[in-house]
Each structure stands twice: as structure tokens, then as C-alpha cells.
Amino acid sequence: MSALIAATLIAPLLGAAAGLIAPTTRLRDGATIAGIGTAAAAAVALLIRVANDGTHVVRVGGWDPELGIVLVADLFAVLVLPVALVIIFVVEIFAIGQRRTAWGANPELAGPLLGVLTTGVSLAILTGDLFTLFVAFELILVSSYVLLTHQGTRGQIRSGMTYVVMNLLSSTLFLFGVAFVYAATGTVNIALLAERIPELSDGVRLGIGAWFFIVFGTKAAIFPLFSWLPDSYPTAPTTITAVFAGLLTKIGIYAMIRFHTLTGMDELGSTMLIIAGATMIIGALGALAQSDVKRILSFHIISQIGYMLMGLGLFSAAGTTGAILFLIHHMPVKTVLFLVGGLIENDQGTSNLDRSGGLASRRPLLAAFFAIPALSLAGLPPFSGFVAKFSVIAAGIDASATPIVVVALAAGALTLLSMTKIWIGVFWGTPPDDKATRSEAPGNRTTMLAATGLAVTGTLAISLFAGTLFDLSQRAADDLRSAAYVTAVAP
Amino acid sequence: MSIALLATVGGLTTVGLYLITARSLSRIILGFALLGHAAVIALLAAGGPPGAPPIAGNSDEAIANPLPQALALTAIVISFGLTLFLLALAGRQHQLTGDDLVEDDLEDQRIARTSSTESSNES
């Protein structure tokens, strides 16, 4: 099992290195696809193994957990890992189809950088200590900075600055946080922290909890720290935005679920719920005000983060289960929506609602690919969003947290409203006059549609296997809330 | 010793935070350089009292805690790379616009100007 864990970290990096030196496009694509694909396959195998055999811990270099790096494949990690890696794999296929269009990323860089990003994501999910988490965040962010700005257009540089400055600030705060934690407890290992942080005095303990809430919250784009997200995401090439939308904020919320649940920061719960409610509503209202497909979808990311934060903030077994399930559902759905956004842009030369229309009759398949994840995101049955939203809201009702449940339901209705806005603007009505000539955009539509179709099938599979996933999420949540994680890492 | 370190951290953080509130990216870069130093010193201060170099069998004195030093080295390398990237970003912005100011979100400004009646007419 250690080999599988190593494969998820090393294969994409090797693929990226080979991709950078490969002489031809075909070889470069082959190298990056092979790297990311190997990692994704290893992650799926890891899920099966861990679900059957339990948590597996790798001590890198054989060091004691107090001193060395540990990689922990617990159920929570291996539930999120395959979803994340398969998403990157699908997007890389989409990117290969899209590269010759005006909205495609620069293929020289995008493939290898996606490989580096993949390693960062695997490391962030598998790591068992705070400092390696910091390094993993940096690995993800550095490749995301370059992916976001590598075309060097004016809009990208402008919004890239906001993105880099905000994330750099949160990384610096993260480093300060590591120093505080080390000064207070003498370790950065999360399992040991789970034992030692509850023994600290209340002021220090909650200070650390609040500090990391801000650090991870900036990465996750919670209210009021989200301003960088809707500005920067829409300016990047579609494939890049799809990966960012599906993964980056979710890694922040993943770290938050892991850290705050394991260290038992229950007292922060009410603050988290208030911020979760504000995040949901502001995100949904922000989406309503926009008139561009990608910007609407960007605001939806923020709104959806609120639901995961709500599940976490309840600090109950059902709440954590809901948050984990929501995380798993949200990643592929959001990615598909952005991929469809890219296809829309390809077809009519813009993603602006005012300058598009009539796509449902011209591209019925595209309309279906949009409708399924859109309804899923709004939380309508029988799609995956319904199961996820239901479990979070049911947990809220169980904990008799009525205000947040009302807010969550209202935000769901607002999400549906803004999705309807996209539907009316893009898919209904008559196409604007001069668009017929532009619809012959270059790029391999078949590859792009196949990749999107694959991702749509993935989201449908999540709703089909919702029962199994719910059980697994429940076990993962129990592991986090009990001492199972601690005993596995530091017996 | 520790008070001096803490005062340094405080001073660097204050100046760094002041600098990153500026509009010009070159000031922000300087601010982040200072904040990075402050964080690294905080890491070192968290490592406990000073001691002999942490090499096994080198001396009989108590050795310094090597772990925060390893963490600090990693952090320094990362912040070095990021400073370079920010400089490249500032250079590109200068190439494009002639300055290196961080600008506002254009779409936000457009939406803020849209009155409620206009937006209802549009939809």
C-alpha cells in the first residue's frame, strides 16, 4: 500500500518533468497524461484497499512522527483523493482538445504544471503534519500562479496580482501559525496535535483554532475573505479555471475539516455557522448580479463552500459526514460546469449572457451536459447535490440549528434562480446574428465533449452510489471524531 | 534573547503589513519579504532556547532544536521563489501599463454602477 501512496505523489511529478523535456507535442501529452493517470489509478486502488483494511501510515525515511514526515491514508483522505485526481485527469484530456483555440491554455506549460499541481493536491490530502501541508499548499499555489498568468494578458496580470497577494498573505499567516503551534505544543504532527491541543489553556487553544480558521478560510474563499476568487478565476483559460474551481478552495475546506475536527474546536462552531450562512447568501446573491457564465459559476463556488462549512461547524457526526459527502459531490460537479462554460465560449466566442442565446437547439448535447450538473448543484433530486445537501441540512435539523437551515434552503433557491438565468441567456432564445461565422472555432470538439461527458457520468455515478459513499463518509467522519486517526499515526 | 527576537518579529510584521496595504506591487513585494523574515524568526523562536550546533557527537553542551531550523530553511526557499515570481509579475504589469499598481475588479465596478432598474430591464 505504501507503493500506491508513493505513486500518487511521484508519478505526476515524473510525468511533468518528462513533459517539460519531451521534444514533440504528442510525447509531452503522453507523459503528462501517463503521470496523472497513474496517480489517479493508484488513488482509486488506495480507496478500495483502505476501505477494506483500514488506515495506512507511511513514515517517510522511517522517522518518528514527532520529527519526521508522515503520510496518512485514512478513509477521509482516500475518499477525496481519487475524486480530485480523476478530475485533473479529465481536465487534462479536455485541455488537449482545447489547446488550439483562443481559450485554451499554453500547452507547453499547462500540462507539466498540472502535473506539479497534482502532486501538491495529493500531498495536501495525504500529509500528516502541518508543515508538509504548508509545503503542499505552496506547491499547489505556485503552479496555480503560473497557470493563471502564463498567457500574460492584461486582465490575467491584473486579477493575478490580487490572487497572488491574497494567497501569499494567507501562506505567511500559515507559517506564523505553524510557529505558534510549535511553540505551544512542540510538534507539528496533526495526530500529536490532536492529543496536545485539547490540553492547552482555552485562550491559546481557541487562538490557534481561530488563526487556522482564517488561514484555511482564505484558501477556501469563505465570507469575507473571498474577494480574490470571482475576480481571478474567470480570466484564466477554461481548463485552468475548471481545475481551480473543482479543487483549490476544496483543499482549503478539506484541511479545515481535518484540523478543526481532529483538534476538537467545538467552541468555534457557532462562529463557523454564522460565517457559513453569510458565505452561502453572499455567494448566491453575487451570482445573481453577474451577467457572465464564468463569473456566475465563480460566485456559486463561494456559496457552496458555505454548505461544507455548515457541516463542519455543526461539530456532530452527521454534520461532518454531510460536509465530507458535499465535498466529494461538489468537486466533479463544479468542474463539469466550468468545462461546459468553456465549450459555450468555444461555440459562440463569448461567455457573456447578453451576447449569447439559442444554444439548446444548436447543441442539444451541450445543453444536457449543462443541465445535469446545474440541477445537481442546486440540490434537486435525483442528482448527487440532493444527497449531499440533504445530509448537511438533516444534520442541521438534528442539531436544532434552525437559522442556518433556513439560510441554506434560501441559498439553494437563489442558486437555482441564477442557474435559470444562465439557461435562459445561453440556451434559449435566438442566437445573435454574427455568431454563425465564429462557431467554427478550432480545437478538437470530440475530445472536449468526450472529457465533459466522462465527467458528467462521474457525477451521475456519485448519485447512483450515494448510499455506499454516505456509509464511507460516515466511517471517515467517525474516524476523525474518535481517536482512530491518532492511534493509527502515533500508537 | 527571546525578547529581542520577539521585538524583531513584531517590528518586521508591523512594517511588512503596512507595506502590503500599498497599491504599488513593488512595495507589496518588500512587505512580503519582511513578513517572510518575521515568520521565519518566529519559527526559530518557537524552537526553544539556543544551544550548540545540532550535530551528533560534536559537543557535550545541550544542542539547539534542529527541527524549526529545517522548517525555516524550507520556508526561506519557498519565499525566495515567490518573491521572484512577484517581481516577474510586477515587470509584466509595467510592460503592459507603465506602472505596477494593483487594480480593482473591473466587472465589480461595472455592476456597482448598474442601478437596480437597469439590471431588471436587462434580465
Side-chain angles (χ1 to χ4, degrees), chain A residues 361-379:
Chain A
S361 53
R362 282 199 295 136
R363 307 269 188 225
L365 191 61
L366 193 55
F369 281 174
F370 176 79
I372 293 171
L375 293 176
S376 179
L377 194 77

Side-chain angles (χ1 to χ4, degrees), chain A residues 73-300:
Chain A
D74 69 337
L75 203 50
F76 180 31
V78 296
L79 270 174
V80 179
L81 189 63
V83 182
L85 297 193
V86 168
I87 286 173
I88 303 182
F89 182 67
V90 168
V91 171
E92 170 66 7
I93 297 176
F94 187 94
I96 288 173
Q98 201 197 20
R99 67 175 30 145
R100 276 180 292 131
T101 71
W103 298 276
N106 178 359
E108 305 281 330
L109 278 172
L113 278 170
L114 273 180
V116 178
L117 189 102
T118 312
T119 299
V121 168
S122 302
L123 189 60
I125 292 175
L126 288 172
T127 182
D129 73 87
L130 273 183
F131 192 77
T132 312
L133 187 63
F134 166 76
V135 175
F137 270 147
E138 289 307 305
L139 207 54
I140 297 173
L141 288 172
V142 168
S143 38
S144 78
Y145 298 155
V146 182
L147 282 170
L148 194 67
T149 55
H150 74 272
Q151 291 174 322
T153 64
R154 186 161 175 190
Q156 286 179 359
I157 298 290
R158 179 188 59 72
S159 59
M161 279 177 162
T162 323
Y163 177 79
V164 175
V165 168
M166 276 305 284
N167 278 294
L168 210 52
L169 183 62
S170 101
S171 296
T172 312
L173 293 182
F174 196 163
L175 203 55
F176 273 111
V178 171
F180 296 156
V181 165
Y182 193 81
T185 62
T187 182
V188 288
N189 183 287
I190 297 175
L192 295 173
L193 287 178
E195 280 181 333
R196 293 184 196 174
I197 284 186
E199 294 165 3
L200 298 172
S201 68
D202 267 2
V204 178
R205 192 168 61 87
L206 294 180
I208 289 174
W211 189 276
F212 278 98
F213 181 52
I214 293 172
V215 168
F216 297 143
T218 315
K219 313 270 183 204
I222 60 170
F223 174 82
L225 304 165
F226 62 81
S227 59
W228 55 271
L229 191 148
D231 187 16
S232 57
Y233 278 20
T235 61
T238 318
T239 42
I240 305 308
T241 321
V243 173
F244 286 10
L247 295 180
L248 294 196
T249 48
K250 262 53 74 177
I251 296 297
I253 206 90
Y254 170 89
M256 205 187 280
I257 292 176
R258 170 150 308 228
F259 184 79
H260 287 84
T261 308
L262 275 174
T263 52
M265 296 287 177
D266 295 30
E267 290 95 328
L268 292 176
S270 47
T271 317
M272 282 184 181
L273 287 182
I274 293 169
I275 290 180
T279 311
M280 285 178 209
I281 288 294
I282 303 273
L285 287 177
L288 271 180
Q290 307 297 320
S291 58
D292 182 284
V293 175
K294 283 159 96 180
R295 285 186 68 95
I296 293 180
L297 293 177
S298 296
F299 271 99
H300 282 158

Side-chain angles (χ1 to χ4, degrees), chain A residues 416-490:
Chain A
L416 193 58
L417 196 59
S418 48
M419 283 299 183
T420 317
K421 194 175 159 183
I422 298 185
W423 184 261
I424 294 174
V426 174
F427 293 100
W428 277 357
T430 48
D433 305 331
D434 58 328
K435 287 298 174 292
T437 48
R438 281 209 228 163
S439 66
E440 294 307 315
N444 192 338
R445 272 188 57 87
T446 323
T447 317
M448 287 155 71
L449 273 177
T452 316
L454 197 63
V456 171
T457 320
T459 67
L460 288 177
I462 288 182
S463 45
L464 268 184
F465 295 105
T468 322
L469 281 173
F470 184 83
D471 290 341
L472 286 173
S473 305
Q474 207 160 25
R475 274 174 57 197
D478 287 343
D479 279 359
L480 281 180
R481 297 178 55 78
S482 69
Y485 182 87
V486 180
T487 44
V489 177

Side-chain angles (χ1 to χ4, degrees), chain B residues 16-103:
Chain B
L17 281 178
Y18 173 74
L19 281 175
I20 62 168
T21 54
R23 271 277 166 177
S24 141
L25 194 58
S26 44
R27 278 173 172 254
I28 295 178
I29 296 169
L30 287 175
F32 273 119
L34 293 182
L35 276 180
H37 292 327
V40 165
I41 296 174
L43 258 180
L44 281 181
I55 301 168
N58 192 36
S59 79
D60 300 332
E61 296 172 57
I63 58 167
N65 187 348
L67 191 68
Q69 301 183 3
L71 303 186
L73 268 180
T74 318
I76 289 171
V77 174
I78 291 174
S79 73
F80 188 64
L82 286 175
T83 308
L84 280 180
F85 179 76
L86 275 175
L87 281 171
L89 210 56
R92 179 67 184 163
Q93 174 81 349
H94 182 75
Q95 221 174 27
L96 288 170
T97 62
D99 56 40
D100 66 343
L101 301 182
V102 178
E103 292 167 52

